[in-house]
């Protein structure tokens, strides 16, 4: 007499953890994309940024600083876009550094940021706590950034981008710009960092 067939059993805790993790990821990505759209909606016309008739040499360092401050307030989304383009171009011309950086970001995302708290990290039969995982990722980041070509590439690209932004800000005469001081400081790019955790927690709580 044959044994009765074994019915498949689904672990509710594992299913709940997977759903919670995917909900947190979706909430973060939704917040990120909405922040990017909001940032681009505040972008100034590029012809204003590239208007050669508005370029003039500053008479002093004080005037140059004042111009940079006013122009950054007005063109901040354009400047962030320009800085991102310089960084992306530098990484695309160095594929190995790009691969290393993407691997590092992937490790942070899947091993710590979007991993469920009740799902321990197990590598080679050893279970790592959240604190051990965080320390390991921080140590790996320090090694990649400060002891490899990736760090020097990122620093060089950022310095070039900041140099372009400061040079334009110092030579662009801002008298014809309408500066809006009432605009919230956390609007636009990177605002998702402030509210991503709250949005992710709320999404996880609904599961």
């Amino acid at each position: 007499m044959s044994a009765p067939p074994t019915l498949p059993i689904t672990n509710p805790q594992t299913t709940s953890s997977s759903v919670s993790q995917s909900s947190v990821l979706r909430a973060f990505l939704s917040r990120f994309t909405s922040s990017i759209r909001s940032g681009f909606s505040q972008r100034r016309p590029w012809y204003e940024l590239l208007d050669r008739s508005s370029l003039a040499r500053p008479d002093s360092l004080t005037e140059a600083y004042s111009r940079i401050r006013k122009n950054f307030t007005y063109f901040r989304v354009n400047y962030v876009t320009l800085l991102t383009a310089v960084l992306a171009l530098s990484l695309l011309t160095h594929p190995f550094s790009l691969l290393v950086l993407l691997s590092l970001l992937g490790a942070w995302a899947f091993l710590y940021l979007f991993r469920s708290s009740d799902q321990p990290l197990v590598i080679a039969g050893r279970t790592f706590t959240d604190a051990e995982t965080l320390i390991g990722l921080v140590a790996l980041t320090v090694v990649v950034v400060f002891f490899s070509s990736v760090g020097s590439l990122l620093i060089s690209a950022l310095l070039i981008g900041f140099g372009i932004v400061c040079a334009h800000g110092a030579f662009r005469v801002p008298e014809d710009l309408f500066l809006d001081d009432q605009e919230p400081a956390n609007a636009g790019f990177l605002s998702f960092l402030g509210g991503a955790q709250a949005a992710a927690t709320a999404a996880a709580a609904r599961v």
Side-chain angles (χ1 to χ4, degrees):
M1 183 175 179
S2 60
T6 304
L7 297 176
I9 300 177
T10 303
N11 190 343
Q13 185 176 2
T14 303
T15 304
S16 176
S17 299
S18 301
V19 173
S20 175
Q21 185 175 1
S22 62
S23 299
V24 170
L25 179 59
R26 285 196 302 269
F28 178 84
L29 292 178
S30 176
R31 180 81 179 182
F32 178 80
T33 53
S34 63
S35 298
I36 293 296
R37 293 195 194 100
S38 175
F40 273 112
S41 67
Q42 300 172 23
R43 177 177 54 85
R44 306 299 182 179
W46 287 102
Y47 68 84
E48 291 187 10
L49 187 77
L50 304 175
D51 186 8
R52 295 178 60 183
S53 63
S54 299
L55 298 179
R57 181 179 177 180
D59 295 330
S60 63
L61 290 177
T62 303
E63 182 181 359
Y65 173 76
S66 177
R67 288 184 182 183
I68 292 174
R69 183 175 54 83
K70 292 179 180 179
N71 283 318
F72 184 79
T73 301
Y74 188 80
F75 291 115
R76 66 178 179 274
V77 177
N78 302 73
Y79 285 157
V80 170
T81 304
L82 181 61
L83 192 63
T84 304
V86 172
L87 187 60
L89 182 61
S90 299
L91 289 173
L92 289 176
T93 55
H94 297 78
F96 177 75
S97 297
L98 177 61
L99 180 61
V100 171
L101 186 61
L102 290 177
S103 301
L104 180 63
L105 294 177
W108 272 99
F110 294 104
L111 297 181
Y112 189 78
L113 295 177
F114 301 122
R115 182 175 57 83
S116 179
S117 58
D118 56 354
Q119 184 179 0
L121 177 63
V122 180
I123 299 177
R126 184 173 185 270
T127 301
F128 293 87
T129 64
D130 287 344
E132 292 173 335
T133 303
L134 179 60
I135 292 174
L137 289 173
V138 169
L140 179 62
T141 303
V142 170
V143 171
V144 169
V145 172
F146 295 102
F147 298 97
S148 71
S149 61
V150 177
S152 60
L153 177 64
L154 293 177
I155 294 175
S156 300
L158 289 175
L159 289 177
I160 293 174
F162 278 121
I164 296 174
V165 168
C166 291
H168 178 272
F171 282 85
R172 177 62 164 86
V173 181
E175 273 70 17
D176 60 328
L177 304 180
F178 299 93
L179 302 179
D180 186 5
D181 295 334
Q182 302 301 322
E183 200 168 350
N186 61 345
F189 287 120
L190 304 183
S191 63
F192 69 94
L193 293 177
Q197 173 119 24
T201 305
R206 290 196 296 269
V207 178

